[in-house]
Amino acid sequence: MKTLGENIKVLKHIYQNNDDIVFQQLSILNEQAYLIYISDLVNQESLDEIEKNIHHYLANNTNYHSPSKIISTLFPWVKVEDTDLLEQASYKILSGYSLLLIDGIKKFYIFNTKNKIGRNITEPTTERTARGPKEGFIEDIDQNLNLIRKKIKSPSLKVENLILGEKTKTNLSIVYMNGIANKDIVDEVKKRLSKIKIDGILESHYIQSMIKDSPKSPFPTVLSTERPDRVCGQLLDGKVAILIDGTPFALLVPVMFVEFFHSSDDYYDSSLVATIVRWVRFLGLFVTLILPAFYVALTSFHQDLLQTPFLIRIAASREALPYPVMIEAIFLLITFELLREAGIRMPKVFGGSVVTILGLVFIGQAAVQAGIIGSVMSIVISVTALTSFIFPSYDFQQLIRYCGIPILFFAGLFGFMGIIVVLMFGLTHLISLRSFGVPYFSPVSPARKEGWKDVFIRAPWWAMDTRSPGLDITNQDRAGSVNKANSPKIGEKDHE
C-alpha cells in the first residue's frame, strides 16, 4: 500500500510542468489530505462547497468518525477507487474531476466538479426540418445521452461506456435497446471499437472510418446524424448508436443505402406527402448523377435522338464555342466546387450558401456571354448543383456529387454505353457491400417485400407494424402491432 506522500509524488510526476494543477492541502481529523484538480476545468463553487461541508461537519459534531466515514456521510454519491489504479484513473483530473486523497486510507475519492463549458442545445445545422423537435446534439456526451433518455424512458435502453485514444482519453458510449437490437451486431460493435489503437479522437469520423465495412469503398456504411429524434427512432428499430464526447454527431450502425434518402420530416408528415418527397429525392439522385453526362452523351454521340428544331438550336448556340461540351461541363463543375468550398469557409455575415449559388449563376451567365460555354450547359450544371443539396445526409450528398464526375467522363468517351457501364459497376459494388453483416442494399437486394413499406413509399404508422427485416432481430413486432391485435374492432362490443 502506497502512503499519501508516495501517491502525491506519483501524481506530481505525471503532471509535472503543468502550472494549472492544484494540490490543495486539507486536514480531516488531524489527518493530512490533498484535494487535486485543474483550476481551469473545475467549478470553483463546487470546490468551495466541498470544503465548507467538511469544516461545518467537524465544527458541529463532537462524535467524530474516521475521515472515510465523514466523506461517505457527507458525500454518499462520490465515486471511490483504489489507489492501485491511481495512474490509470488520474486522467479524470484532466476531465474536470477532483481527487481527494487522505493519509492512511488506501482509497481515493472522485468528486464531479466539472465546469460546464460549451454551447447550449440548439437546432441541428446539417439536418434541418420543417416539423419535429428542434433539439440537436452538442459536444457534451452527457447532455447528448440526456436527450436520448428524455425521449426513451425505458430500462431496456442500455448505455455502455468506454474510453479510446491514448492521449485524448475520449469518452464513448454504445447505446442500444436490449431485447430489440441484434446481440451479434452489438457484440460486433464492441469488438471493432476495442481494436482501435490511436493517439487521439477529436471527431466522430475518426471512429466512423475505423469501424466501417469495406474501408476502401467510397460509400458510407455508417450513418452520422446530429438529431436525437433520428437516433431514438433508429434505436427502436434495432440499430446501435455510438456517441463520442466532443462532437455533435452520433453514429448509427448498421445502415442501408435507402436510409440516406430518409429524413426525420418523412415521419412527421402525412404518408402521401412523405412518399412524394421521397420519390423527389430518388429523382434528385438521378439528376445529380446523370444529367450532365446525359447531355454530354446526347450532344456528342446521339444527336439523332433530338428533335430537329431543338438540335438546330443547340448546334447554333455551340457554333462559335471553342471547347468540346465535356470540357465545358468539367469547367463548370470545378467552378461550383470552388465556390462551394469558399462558401463553407466564408464568414457567416456574408451568407456562404447564398454566395455559392449566386456566384455559380453569375459566373455561368458571364461565361455564356463571353462565348466560353453554351447556355444549355450552364442550365444543366446549375440544376445539377442545386439538386445535389436535396439529400438529408451531408456525407451522402458529398459522395453523390463526386460520383457524377466519372460518369461524365465515360459519357464523353463512349456516350450512353459509358453511362450504362459505369452505373452497372456501381450497382454491382453497392449490392456487394455489407454494414455490420447486413446487406447494404437491403431490403431491395436481397428482396424483403415486408420492408418495402418504408423504402419506395412511407406507409402510414398504423401499417408499419414490423421493424426492418434486414436486421434479423427476433423482436420484429412493434408495440403498436400488439395493441392493434388485442384491441376490439370498430363496432365490436365487449361481452362479459
Side-chain angles (χ1 to χ4, degrees):
M1 169 184 166
K2 293 181 179 179
T3 64
L4 176 63
E6 291 173 335
N7 287 327
I8 295 300
K9 185 177 180 180
V10 169
L11 287 172
K12 286 186 176 180
H13 175 73
I14 293 174
Y15 297 113
Q16 61 182 334
N17 300 327
N18 285 284
D19 295 336
D20 55 349
I21 297 286
V22 178
F23 290 83
Q24 183 175 349
Q25 231 177 330
L26 301 174
S27 178
I28 304 177
L29 292 182
N30 298 322
E31 295 289 350
Q32 189 178 17
Y34 275 90
L35 188 63
I36 305 134
Y37 56 89
I38 295 180
S39 57
D40 296 329
L41 297 182
V42 299
N43 187 316
Q44 191 60 45
E45 293 181 0
S46 300
L47 288 176
D48 295 340
E49 191 68 22
I50 292 172
E51 293 186 58
K52 177 182 176 182
N53 288 344
I54 293 176
H55 293 312
H56 180 77
Y57 182 88
L58 294 176
N60 292 277
N61 288 272
T62 56
N63 185 19
Y64 289 159
H65 300 288
S66 65
S68 60
K69 289 287 186 182
I70 294 176
I71 300 302
S72 61
T73 301
L74 291 175
F75 313 103
W77 59 86
V78 169
K79 187 177 181 181
V80 182
E81 291 189 6
D82 196 282
T83 49
D84 292 338
L85 302 175
L86 186 61
E87 293 186 29
Q88 294 91 333
S90 62
Y91 76 91
K92 289 185 177 292
I93 297 176
L94 299 171
S95 300
Y97 292 87
S98 299
L99 301 187
L100 177 64
L101 280 74
I102 304 174
D103 194 16
I105 298 176
K106 66 178 183 178
K107 306 285 186 181
F108 65 87
Y109 304 90
I110 302 175
F111 290 86
N112 187 354
T113 54
K114 289 195 296 184
N115 189 21
K116 296 294 183 181
I117 56 176
R119 63 189 177 97
N120 296 324
I121 295 174
T122 56
E123 184 178 357
T125 56
T126 60
E127 296 177 87
R128 302 177 68 179
T129 59
R131 186 173 178 178
K134 302 302 180 183
E135 297 172 327
F137 286 135
I138 59 174
E139 289 74 14
D140 189 336
I141 191 172
D142 295 327
Q143 288 283 9
N144 295 342
L145 287 171
N146 288 340
L147 291 174
I148 295 176
R149 289 282 188 189
K150 187 173 72 170
K151 294 180 182 298
I152 303 180
K153 304 177 181 68
S154 170
S156 298
L157 180 66
K158 304 300 180 183
V159 179
E160 299 185 23
N161 299 324
L162 67 155
I163 298 170
L164 291 180
E166 295 295 329
K167 303 300 182 185
T168 58
K169 303 293 185 183
T170 305
N171 294 319
L172 278 78
S173 292
I174 303 172
V175 188
Y176 61 94
M177 294 296 296
N178 189 36
I180 297 179
N182 188 323
K183 188 177 183 301
D184 293 336
I185 294 178
V186 176
D187 293 339
E188 182 65 20
V189 172
K190 297 177 185 177
K191 178 182 176 182
R192 295 190 189 186
L193 290 175
S194 65
K195 291 182 177 180
I196 294 177
K197 304 297 180 184
I198 190 173
D199 280 347
I201 296 172
L202 304 179
E203 211 280 327
S204 61
H205 189 74
Y206 286 61
I207 301 295
Q208 184 176 351
S209 61
M210 291 184 177
I211 66 173
K212 66 174 291 190
D213 297 70
S214 303
K216 294 182 179 179
S217 172
F219 290 93
T221 55
V222 177
L223 178 65
S224 64
T225 178
E226 59 177 334
R227 294 193 63 89
D229 56 333
R230 188 168 193 182
V231 169
C232 292
Q234 298 287 337
L235 289 174
L236 294 173
D237 275 342
K239 302 290 184 68
V240 180
I242 304 171
L243 273 63
I244 300 99
D245 196 21
T247 175
F249 289 92
L251 304 179
L252 288 165
V253 294
V255 64
M256 290 164 279
F257 180 77
V258 295
E259 291 178 335
F260 289 101
F261 296 89
H262 296 180
S263 169
S264 297
D265 266 331
D266 297 350
Y267 303 99
Y268 305 143
D269 289 328
S270 67
S271 173
L272 177 62
V273 172
T275 300
I276 294 173
V277 172
R278 190 166 289 181
W279 276 100
V280 168
R281 295 194 193 109
F282 285 129
L283 176 62
L285 172 67
F286 289 102
V287 170
T288 306
L289 281 177
I290 299 175
L291 183 59
F294 182 82
Y295 178 72
V296 168
L298 196 64
T299 54
S300 300
F301 294 92
H302 309 285
Q303 299 92 340
D304 53 323
L305 296 178
L306 294 172
Q307 293 181 344
T308 303
F310 187 46
L311 180 61
I312 294 174
R313 186 180 295 273
I314 292 178
S317 66
R318 298 196 52 80
E319 184 178 3
L321 297 179
Y323 302 110
V325 64
M326 187 174 72
I327 300 299
E328 293 179 9
I330 293 175
F331 167 76
L332 279 177
L333 287 174
I334 292 176
T335 302
F336 167 68
E337 291 301 326
L338 291 172
L339 289 171
R340 189 189 66 84
E341 190 66 19
I344 293 175
R345 313 301 167 198
M346 192 174 293
K348 286 186 176 180
V349 68
F350 297 111
S353 60
V354 175
V355 171
T356 301
I357 302 301
L358 292 180
L360 179 65
V361 173
F362 290 149
I363 290 176
Q365 183 179 0
V368 171
Q369 293 176 350
I372 300 175
I373 64 172
S375 57
V376 179
M377 177 58 72
S378 177
I379 296 172
V380 167
I381 298 301
S382 297
V383 171
T384 303
L386 288 172
T387 308
S388 66
F389 292 104
I390 201 171
F391 308 108
S393 171
Y394 177 72
D395 293 341
F396 189 73
Q397 176 192 120
Q398 284 187 306
L399 173 67
I400 294 302
R401 198 167 58 244
Y402 294 130
C403 282
I405 295 177
I407 300 177
L408 173 64
F409 179 75
F410 279 89
L413 294 179
F414 307 106
F416 287 163
M417 184 57 67
I419 297 176
I420 294 173
V421 169
V422 175
L423 290 179
M424 286 179 62
F425 273 102
L427 185 60
T428 303
H429 176 67
L430 287 173
I431 294 175
S432 67
L433 290 178
R434 287 182 172 270
S435 175
F436 285 79
V438 176
Y440 194 53
F441 227 56
S442 177
V444 179
S445 177
R448 304 287 291 272
K449 293 183 180 180
E450 59 270 26
W452 291 2
K453 55 191 172 185
D454 196 23
V455 176
F456 301 108
I457 63 171
R458 207 284 283 166
W461 274 111
W462 53 263
M464 292 198 295
D465 53 1
T466 58
R467 297 184 174 90
S468 175
L471 300 179
D472 292 328
I473 55 180
T474 55
N475 185 7
Q476 284 287 344
D477 292 330
R478 299 180 187 270
S481 65
V482 177
N483 295 336
K484 183 172 66 175
N486 295 334
S487 61
K489 296 179 180 179
I490 297 177
E492 182 178 308
K493 296 182 178 180
D494 295 332
H495 298 282
E496 294 184 0

